[in-house]
Every structure is written in C-alpha cells, then in structure tokens.
Amino acid sequence: MNRGTYRLLALGLLPVVALLVIIGAAAAAPKGGVTVDLKVAQSEFRASQDVLVTVTLSNRTKQPAHILKRLTPADGVDASLFAVTRDGQPVAYTGAQVKRPTPTDSDYLVLEPGASVSNVVNLGDVYDFTATGRYEISYNVSSYDLFDRKGTPAKGKDALASDTISVKAAGRAGKGKPQPPPPPPPGQTAFSACTAAQQSALNAARTQAKSYASNAVSYLGGTAGPRYTTWFGTVTTDRFNTVRSHFNAISSAMVNAGITFDCSSKQNVYAYVYPNRPYTIYLGRVYWTAPAAGTDSQAGTLIHEMSHFDVVAGTDDVVYGQAGAKSLAISNPDAAITNADSHEYFAEDTPFQN
C-alpha cells in the first residue's frame, strides 16, 4: 500500500464512490474553504502517452486561503499528493521523500477570494504506471500544517481531497527520476558533484550517523524510558519491536551499505531520497547550514534519509520538527513510529534522555 493511501485509510478520508462516468470531478470544500478539482483530457492512455491530470485548487470563501505549497503541485510533485489504485490495488508513489525545515509563511500558496490555480501533473513520473489496467485517481493530502503553519498534532490533521476519476492506461516504463550511478562496493562511500570540503563533511557525518544508530540499537536492547516515549509515545510490544527492527536495519545499512551522496541539488531542503532506489542520498542547500551533530544535524539527517528506504524502514514524513514529533508521540504513537523525523530525533538524543 502506498504511503499516501495508508495515511488516508488511517484518517478515514478515502471516499467510497461509484465509478465516475465523467472525466472530471470536484470535492466539497473542507476546512479552509478550498476545493480541488481533477480533470483529464481523455479516458484512455496508450503506452506512448503521458497520463496528464490537471489539478485546480479554488478558494470558495471571501477570505484569502493559505495552502502548504509542498502539498500542492505548484512547484512540481515531490510528495504523495494522490491516492492511486490499479484494478483496486494501491499503486506505489515513486517520487522523492524530502526532509524539510519547519514551514514558514513563504511556504504557503495564497489564494485570494474566488481565485483558482491550475497545474498539470504527469502521474507516470511519480506513481507506478508500469502495468496496464484501470486506474482510479483522487487528490488526497492531509497535514497538521495544511492551512496553518502553527498546526499541531494535538489539533488533528486538516485534509484536502477530490472525488475520484477513472482512466484506463497501458503500462509504460517509469521515468521522471534521476538515474543514479552504480553503487559503490558494500560499506564504501561515493560522491557525485561534491566538493572536497563536502566530501569531508559527509564522511564525518556518516561516521557520526553510525555512532547514533549503534547507540539507538543498544538503547532498544533494554527497557524503554523517557527517550523512547518522548519520540514514539506509549510503549507497546508491537510498536517497540517495530522501532527496534527499524534501527537494526538503519545501523546495518549505515555500516554495510554502499552509499552515494549527491550534492548537485539547489533545493532549499535538507535532503531527499527515492525510497525504492537505495542507497543514494541527495543533499539540499539547508543540509550545509546544519550542525555536524545534535538536533537537525548533518549526521541526524542521514539517519532520517536512510530510514526512508523501503529496504530499510520505509518511514514517511508525517510531521517535521521536534515540537511536532513530540506532539505526534502523544496524540498518535502508531504514526510516530512511521515518522522519519521521530527516528532522527531519537537517534540524535538532544537533549540527552535515559
């Protein structure tokens, strides 16, 4: 099941609708007074045709609406914005998983009263359309910060969803992601577009990340205390074992995997990965301003990104930042154990807890 679908099932947001016989549909306005409408120009796509969907966000209120830009296609798609199924089975999101700074006002798209904005998305770039079948597609996003950058897990998530459109598509090769170079030998590190100074910093960060991961494994070999409950919430056997298995895998990968660091990104983010393409980690501009160790550090960022890989822990980005992660542990421990930042903060252990 793809991550976006899992989150929506947990929130009870996936609409139960009959197959639409029209090509476009819109949902009722949620909190924030924003509606989202999906349209496609045709109901069938050959393998040579891109599956293009037009997403239109509209403000139906008399007040300006603020929408977290990363959960819109305004600047492209680098989060799971859609729930997609093929012949009833969930379709995987194949785009990037990104570690971002806490949102600021500039991270919001502002829609004036009565205004609309439309963007065209090639779904084959970010979802698995490699098999032929009937695809059902809806726009489905949720976030504590969706309409308000001061949102917290204690208040619950806001959501923005469309109705479902149905198209038939022939299978096509996946595309849209950079092709990484062949991985280095096991346990070694390779670099792409990194300066000598960046390579030195990344070697040090990997060493520190190994230490963080090893320490986490040792801690999880004992009894869970405040360090665990701060980031992952109330202890249950299943959740504790899940977190322990995650860190066993993270620690093993940090030591044994051939990791490639790519320094070519100019995005204003810490880092990102493609979860189904281990073990290449792309570093953004924010990464180079982070401390070597401690909260939101370069080493901790590597723990965050390593946890995203499907073959490691398959984590998601449910919330960003320490405040959000602490609140999530209280309000939704099941989500906390899937959250990449929660794993990072547990590993960094700043300030120190037993």
Short mmCIF file of all heavy atoms in Angstrom, two decimals, residues 286-335:
data_model
loop_
_atom_site.label_atom_id
_atom_site.label_comp_id
_atom_site.label_asym_id
_atom_site.label_seq_id
_atom_site.Cartn_x
_atom_site.Cartn_y
_atom_site.Cartn_z
N VAL A 286 19.88 23.40 2.63
CA VAL A 286 19.77 23.54 4.07
C VAL A 286 20.75 22.61 4.78
O VAL A 286 21.24 22.92 5.87
CB VAL A 286 18.32 23.27 4.53
CG1 VAL A 286 18.20 23.37 6.05
CG2 VAL A 286 17.36 24.26 3.87
N TYR A 287 21.05 21.48 4.17
CA TYR A 287 21.94 20.50 4.81
C TYR A 287 23.27 21.13 5.20
O TYR A 287 23.81 20.86 6.28
CB TYR A 287 22.18 19.32 3.86
CG TYR A 287 23.08 18.25 4.45
CD1 TYR A 287 22.57 17.25 5.26
CD2 TYR A 287 24.47 18.25 4.20
CE1 TYR A 287 23.40 16.28 5.82
CE2 TYR A 287 25.29 17.29 4.74
CZ TYR A 287 24.76 16.31 5.55
OH TYR A 287 25.58 15.36 6.10
N TRP A 288 23.80 21.99 4.34
CA TRP A 288 25.14 22.52 4.55
C TRP A 288 25.15 23.60 5.62
O TRP A 288 26.24 24.02 6.06
CB TRP A 288 25.70 23.03 3.23
CG TRP A 288 25.68 21.96 2.18
CD1 TRP A 288 24.88 21.91 1.08
CD2 TRP A 288 26.43 20.75 2.19
NE1 TRP A 288 25.10 20.75 0.38
CE2 TRP A 288 26.04 20.01 1.04
CE3 TRP A 288 27.39 20.21 3.04
CZ2 TRP A 288 26.59 18.77 0.74
CZ3 TRP A 288 27.94 18.97 2.74
CH2 TRP A 288 27.54 18.27 1.60
N THR A 289 24.00 24.06 6.06
CA THR A 289 23.93 25.03 7.16
C THR A 289 23.67 24.34 8.50
O THR A 289 23.67 25.00 9.54
CB THR A 289 22.82 26.07 6.91
OG1 THR A 289 21.53 25.44 6.99
CG2 THR A 289 22.98 26.71 5.54
N ALA A 290 23.42 23.03 8.48
CA ALA A 290 23.09 22.29 9.70
C ALA A 290 24.37 22.00 10.49
O ALA A 290 25.46 21.87 9.92
CB ALA A 290 22.39 20.98 9.35
N PRO A 291 24.24 21.87 11.84
CA PRO A 291 25.41 21.48 12.64
C PRO A 291 25.84 20.06 12.33
O PRO A 291 25.05 19.26 11.81
CB PRO A 291 24.91 21.62 14.08
CG PRO A 291 23.43 21.42 13.98
CD PRO A 291 23.03 22.02 12.67
N ALA A 292 27.08 19.73 12.66
CA ALA A 292 27.58 18.38 12.38
C ALA A 292 26.84 17.33 13.20
O ALA A 292 26.59 16.22 12.71
CB ALA A 292 29.07 18.32 12.68
N ALA A 293 26.49 17.68 14.45
CA ALA A 293 25.79 16.75 15.34
C ALA A 293 24.78 17.55 16.15
O ALA A 293 24.79 18.78 16.15
CB ALA A 293 26.78 16.03 16.25
N GLY A 294 23.87 16.82 16.82
CA GLY A 294 22.83 17.48 17.59
C GLY A 294 21.53 17.56 16.81
O GLY A 294 21.36 16.91 15.78
N THR A 295 20.61 18.40 17.28
CA THR A 295 19.28 18.48 16.69
C THR A 295 19.32 18.95 15.23
O THR A 295 19.98 19.94 14.91
CB THR A 295 18.40 19.45 17.50
OG1 THR A 295 18.33 18.98 18.85
CG2 THR A 295 17.00 19.54 16.91
N ASP A 296 18.60 18.22 14.37
CA ASP A 296 18.55 18.54 12.94
C ASP A 296 19.96 18.69 12.37
O ASP A 296 20.25 19.62 11.62
CB ASP A 296 17.71 19.80 12.69
CG ASP A 296 16.22 19.55 12.84
OD1 ASP A 296 15.74 18.52 12.32
OD2 ASP A 296 15.54 20.36 13.48
N SER A 297 20.80 17.77 12.70
CA SER A 297 22.21 17.81 12.30
C SER A 297 22.44 17.13 10.96
O SER A 297 21.55 16.46 10.41
CB SER A 297 23.06 17.12 13.37
OG SER A 297 22.70 15.74 13.46
N GLN A 298 23.64 17.28 10.46
CA GLN A 298 24.01 16.58 9.23
C GLN A 298 23.98 15.07 9.45
O GLN A 298 23.46 14.33 8.61
CB GLN A 298 25.39 17.04 8.77
CG GLN A 298 25.42 18.50 8.32
CD GLN A 298 26.76 18.93 7.74
OE1 GLN A 298 27.67 18.12 7.59
NE2 GLN A 298 26.88 20.20 7.41
N ALA A 299 24.52 14.62 10.57
CA ALA A 299 24.50 13.18 10.85
C ALA A 299 23.09 12.67 11.05
O ALA A 299 22.71 11.61 10.55
CB ALA A 299 25.36 12.88 12.09
N GLY A 300 22.28 13.43 11.79
CA GLY A 300 20.89 13.03 12.02
C GLY A 300 20.09 12.99 10.74
O GLY A 300 19.21 12.14 10.56
N THR A 301 20.37 13.93 9.84
CA THR A 301 19.69 13.94 8.54
C THR A 301 19.95 12.64 7.79
O THR A 301 19.05 12.11 7.12
CB THR A 301 20.13 15.15 7.71
OG1 THR A 301 19.71 16.36 8.36
CG2 THR A 301 19.55 15.11 6.30
N LEU A 302 21.16 12.11 7.90
CA LEU A 302 21.46 10.83 7.23
C LEU A 302 20.64 9.69 7.83
O LEU A 302 20.19 8.79 7.11
CB LEU A 302 22.94 10.51 7.30
CG LEU A 302 23.90 11.53 6.66
CD1 LEU A 302 25.31 10.96 6.61
CD2 LEU A 302 23.44 11.94 5.26
N ILE A 303 20.42 9.72 9.15
CA ILE A 303 19.53 8.73 9.78
C ILE A 303 18.12 8.88 9.22
O ILE A 303 17.47 7.88 8.85
CB ILE A 303 19.50 8.93 11.31
CG1 ILE A 303 20.88 8.68 11.93
CG2 ILE A 303 18.44 8.04 11.95
CD1 ILE A 303 21.31 7.25 11.99
N HIS A 304 17.63 10.11 9.16
CA HIS A 304 16.30 10.40 8.62
C HIS A 304 16.16 9.82 7.21
O HIS A 304 15.19 9.11 6.92
CB HIS A 304 16.11 11.92 8.61
CG HIS A 304 14.84 12.40 7.98
ND1 HIS A 304 13.87 13.09 8.68
CD2 HIS A 304 14.36 12.31 6.71
CE1 HIS A 304 12.87 13.38 7.89
NE2 HIS A 304 13.14 12.93 6.67
N GLU A 305 17.12 10.14 6.35
CA GLU A 305 17.01 9.71 4.95
C GLU A 305 17.17 8.21 4.81
O GLU A 305 16.45 7.57 4.03
CB GLU A 305 18.04 10.45 4.09
CG GLU A 305 17.86 11.95 4.03
CD GLU A 305 16.47 12.36 3.57
OE1 GLU A 305 15.88 11.66 2.74
OE2 GLU A 305 15.98 13.39 4.06
N MET A 306 18.08 7.61 5.57
CA MET A 306 18.26 6.17 5.49
C MET A 306 16.97 5.45 5.89
O MET A 306 16.63 4.40 5.32
CB MET A 306 19.42 5.73 6.38
CG MET A 306 19.77 4.26 6.27
SD MET A 306 20.28 3.73 4.59
CE MET A 306 21.91 4.49 4.50
N SER A 307 16.25 6.00 6.86
CA SER A 307 15.02 5.35 7.32
C SER A 307 13.94 5.32 6.24
O SER A 307 13.03 4.50 6.29
CB SER A 307 14.48 6.05 8.57
OG SER A 307 13.83 7.29 8.27
N HIS A 308 14.03 6.21 5.25
CA HIS A 308 13.01 6.27 4.20
C HIS A 308 13.08 5.09 3.23
O HIS A 308 12.07 4.73 2.61
CB HIS A 308 13.16 7.55 3.38
CG HIS A 308 12.51 8.75 3.96
ND1 HIS A 308 11.27 8.74 4.56
CD2 HIS A 308 12.93 10.06 4.02
CE1 HIS A 308 10.95 9.96 4.96
NE2 HIS A 308 11.94 10.77 4.64
N PHE A 309 14.25 4.52 3.03
CA PHE A 309 14.39 3.50 2.01
C PHE A 309 13.49 2.30 2.34
O PHE A 309 13.42 1.84 3.48
CB PHE A 309 15.84 3.04 1.87
CG PHE A 309 16.73 4.06 1.24
CD1 PHE A 309 17.83 4.57 1.93
CD2 PHE A 309 16.49 4.52 -0.04
CE1 PHE A 309 18.65 5.51 1.35
CE2 PHE A 309 17.31 5.47 -0.64
CZ PHE A 309 18.40 5.97 0.07
N ASP A 310 12.80 1.82 1.32
CA ASP A 310 11.87 0.70 1.51
C ASP A 310 12.57 -0.53 2.07
O ASP A 310 11.97 -1.29 2.84
CB ASP A 310 11.20 0.34 0.18
CG ASP A 310 10.27 1.44 -0.32
OD1 ASP A 310 9.77 2.23 0.50
OD2 ASP A 310 10.05 1.51 -1.55
N VAL A 311 13.83 -0.73 1.70
CA VAL A 311 14.55 -1.92 2.18
C VAL A 311 15.12 -1.72 3.58
O VAL A 311 15.71 -2.65 4.16
CB VAL A 311 15.70 -2.29 1.21
CG1 VAL A 311 15.16 -2.66 -0.15
CG2 VAL A 311 16.73 -1.16 1.12
N VAL A 312 14.93 -0.53 4.14
CA VAL A 312 15.43 -0.24 5.49
C VAL A 312 14.25 -0.17 6.46
O VAL A 312 13.95 -1.13 7.16
CB VAL A 312 16.29 1.03 5.53
CG1 VAL A 312 16.77 1.34 6.94
CG2 VAL A 312 17.49 0.88 4.59
N ALA A 313 13.55 0.97 6.50
CA ALA A 313 12.43 1.12 7.43
C ALA A 313 11.16 1.65 6.77
O ALA A 313 10.09 1.59 7.36
CB ALA A 313 12.82 2.02 8.61
N GLY A 314 11.27 2.18 5.56
CA GLY A 314 10.09 2.64 4.84
C GLY A 314 9.31 3.72 5.57
O GLY A 314 8.08 3.74 5.53
N THR A 315 10.01 4.63 6.24
CA THR A 315 9.31 5.67 7.00
C THR A 315 8.72 6.73 6.08
O THR A 315 9.04 6.82 4.90
CB THR A 315 10.25 6.35 8.00
OG1 THR A 315 11.33 6.98 7.28
CG2 THR A 315 10.80 5.37 9.02
N ASP A 316 7.87 7.56 6.68
CA ASP A 316 7.19 8.63 5.97
C ASP A 316 7.56 9.95 6.63
O ASP A 316 8.23 9.98 7.65
CB ASP A 316 5.68 8.39 6.04
CG ASP A 316 4.92 9.09 4.93
OD1 ASP A 316 5.52 9.91 4.19
OD2 ASP A 316 3.71 8.84 4.80
N ASP A 317 7.08 11.06 6.04
CA ASP A 317 7.23 12.37 6.66
C ASP A 317 5.86 12.82 7.14
O ASP A 317 5.12 13.51 6.44
CB ASP A 317 7.81 13.38 5.66
CG ASP A 317 9.25 13.09 5.33
OD1 ASP A 317 10.03 12.86 6.27
OD2 ASP A 317 9.61 13.07 4.13
N VAL A 318 5.49 12.38 8.34
CA VAL A 318 4.18 12.71 8.90
C VAL A 318 4.20 14.13 9.45
O VAL A 318 3.30 14.92 9.20
CB VAL A 318 3.80 11.71 10.01
CG1 VAL A 318 2.39 12.01 10.54
CG2 VAL A 318 3.88 10.28 9.50
N VAL A 319 5.24 14.46 10.23
CA VAL A 319 5.45 15.81 10.73
C VAL A 319 6.94 16.12 10.66
O VAL A 319 7.78 15.23 10.62
CB VAL A 319 4.97 15.99 12.19
CG1 VAL A 319 3.47 15.79 12.31
CG2 VAL A 319 5.70 15.05 13.15
N TYR A 320 7.25 17.42 10.66
CA TYR A 320 8.63 17.88 10.73
C TYR A 320 8.84 18.64 12.03
O TYR A 320 7.94 19.28 12.55
CB TYR A 320 8.95 18.82 9.55
CG TYR A 320 8.94 18.17 8.20
CD1 TYR A 320 7.91 18.42 7.29
CD2 TYR A 320 9.95 17.31 7.80
CE1 TYR A 320 7.89 17.84 6.03
CE2 TYR A 320 9.95 16.73 6.54
CZ TYR A 320 8.92 17.00 5.66
OH TYR A 320 8.91 16.42 4.41
N GLY A 321 10.07 18.58 12.55
CA GLY A 321 10.44 19.37 13.70
C GLY A 321 10.22 18.66 15.03
O GLY A 321 9.37 17.78 15.15
N GLN A 322 11.00 19.07 16.04
CA GLN A 322 10.90 18.43 17.34
C GLN A 322 9.55 18.63 18.00
O GLN A 322 8.99 17.70 18.58
CB GLN A 322 12.02 18.94 18.26
CG GLN A 322 13.37 18.30 18.02
CD GLN A 322 14.30 18.46 19.20
OE1 GLN A 322 14.14 19.34 20.04
NE2 GLN A 322 15.31 17.60 19.28
N ALA A 323 9.01 19.85 17.93
CA ALA A 323 7.72 20.11 18.58
C ALA A 323 6.63 19.23 18.00
O ALA A 323 5.83 18.63 18.72
CB ALA A 323 7.35 21.59 18.46
N GLY A 324 6.59 19.14 16.67
CA GLY A 324 5.58 18.31 16.03
C GLY A 324 5.77 16.84 16.34
O GLY A 324 4.81 16.11 16.56
N ALA A 325 7.02 16.38 16.36
CA ALA A 325 7.29 14.96 16.64
C ALA A 325 6.91 14.61 18.07
O ALA A 325 6.36 13.53 18.33
CB ALA A 325 8.77 14.65 16.39
N LYS A 326 7.19 15.50 19.03
CA LYS A 326 6.79 15.24 20.42
C LYS A 326 5.28 15.17 20.55
O LYS A 326 4.74 14.30 21.24
CB LYS A 326 7.35 16.33 21.33
CG LYS A 326 8.84 16.26 21.56
CD LYS A 326 9.32 17.40 22.46
CE LYS A 326 10.82 17.32 22.72
NZ LYS A 326 11.28 18.45 23.57
N SER A 327 4.60 16.09 19.89
CA SER A 327 3.13 16.09 19.95
C SER A 327 2.55 14.86 19.29
O SER A 327 1.58 14.26 19.77
CB SER A 327 2.60 17.36 19.28
OG SER A 327 1.20 17.45 19.39
N LEU A 328 3.16 14.43 18.19
CA LEU A 328 2.70 13.23 17.49
C LEU A 328 2.83 12.00 18.37
O LEU A 328 1.95 11.13 18.38
CB LEU A 328 3.49 13.05 16.20
CG LEU A 328 3.03 11.92 15.28
CD1 LEU A 328 1.66 12.22 14.70
CD2 LEU A 328 4.05 11.70 14.15
N ALA A 329 3.92 11.91 19.13
CA ALA A 329 4.12 10.76 20.01
C ALA A 329 3.01 10.65 21.04
O ALA A 329 2.61 9.55 21.42
CB ALA A 329 5.47 10.88 20.71
N ILE A 330 2.48 11.79 21.47
CA ILE A 330 1.40 11.80 22.45
C ILE A 330 0.06 11.47 21.79
O ILE A 330 -0.71 10.65 22.28
CB ILE A 330 1.33 13.16 23.15
CG1 ILE A 330 2.60 13.42 23.97
CG2 ILE A 330 0.08 13.25 24.05
CD1 ILE A 330 2.72 14.85 24.46
N SER A 331 -0.19 12.12 20.66
CA SER A 331 -1.52 12.03 20.06
C SER A 331 -1.70 10.79 19.18
O SER A 331 -2.82 10.29 19.04
CB SER A 331 -1.80 13.28 19.21
OG SER A 331 -0.89 13.34 18.10
N ASN A 332 -0.61 10.28 18.58
CA ASN A 332 -0.76 9.18 17.63
C ASN A 332 0.53 8.36 17.56
O ASN A 332 1.31 8.46 16.61
CB ASN A 332 -1.11 9.72 16.24
CG ASN A 332 -1.58 8.64 15.29
OD1 ASN A 332 -1.38 7.46 15.53
ND2 ASN A 332 -2.19 9.04 14.19
N PRO A 333 0.80 7.53 18.58
CA PRO A 333 2.03 6.74 18.58
C PRO A 333 2.19 5.82 17.37
O PRO A 333 3.31 5.57 16.92
CB PRO A 333 1.93 5.93 19.88
CG PRO A 333 0.98 6.69 20.74
CD PRO A 333 0.01 7.33 19.81
N ASP A 334 1.07 5.33 16.83
CA ASP A 334 1.16 4.47 15.65
C ASP A 334 1.76 5.23 14.47
O ASP A 334 2.49 4.65 13.65
CB ASP A 334 -0.22 3.93 15.27
CG ASP A 334 -0.70 2.85 16.22
OD1 ASP A 334 0.15 2.21 16.88
OD2 ASP A 334 -1.93 2.64 16.31
N ALA A 335 1.43 6.52 14.36
CA ALA A 335 2.02 7.34 13.29
C ALA A 335 3.46 7.71 13.63
O ALA A 335 4.32 7.82 12.75
CB ALA A 335 1.18 8.58 13.05
#
